[in-house]
Amino acid sequence: EAASRRKGKARRGRGKVRGEGLLSKQKRSRRMKANDRERNRMHHLNSALDALRSVLPTFPDDAKLTKIETLRFAHNYIWALTQSLRLA
């Protein structure tokens, strides 16, 4: 009985409207574009952190600060500069 009811009804939801090859190509294309966007985002973030590291007062023989160390150092450095300006 249930099978006879389904015959007359139109399909709902996402069926195999497109071929599976086309769908997988679209998924791959979307994934590659998302990967490119993320890679570019990380390159820009790393460039910004390098620029920030270059203006922070550190000794040249120190190891490169990690991302979180750079942000914490910058925060504390700005705070210290602000405090010295208030006292001056």
Side-chain angles (χ1 to χ4, degrees):
E1 188 179 316
S4 64
R5 274 190 270 151
R6 273 189 258 140
K7 283 183 182 177
K9 292 191 176 186
R11 272 183 106 147
R12 291 186 187 179
R14 295 183 71 177
K16 284 189 179 181
V17 177
R18 298 180 210 153
E20 289 204 16
L22 180 61
L23 190 59
S24 67
K25 282 182 184 177
Q26 286 179 334
K27 282 183 181 180
R28 242 180 293 138
S29 174
R30 273 189 242 135
R31 176 58 15 218
M32 286 176 61
K33 287 177 184 177
N35 289 346
D36 286 342
R37 284 192 304 272
E38 178 64 10
R39 193 175 304 108
N40 285 331
R41 187 186 73 82
M42 289 307 300
H43 283 308
H44 286 107
L45 177 62
N46 289 332
S47 296
L49 285 166
D50 286 338
L52 182 57
R53 283 184 195 102
S54 71
V55 297
L56 293 175
T58 58
F59 296 105
D61 57 349
D62 283 349
K64 180 177 159 183
L65 298 172
T66 64
K67 293 174 184 178
I68 191 66
E69 289 170 342
T70 302
L71 293 174
R72 286 181 177 148
F73 192 123
H75 175 268
N76 292 334
Y77 184 57
I78 292 168
W79 179 85
L81 289 174
T82 303
Q83 293 302 311
S84 66
L85 284 172
R86 284 189 184 146
L87 294 174

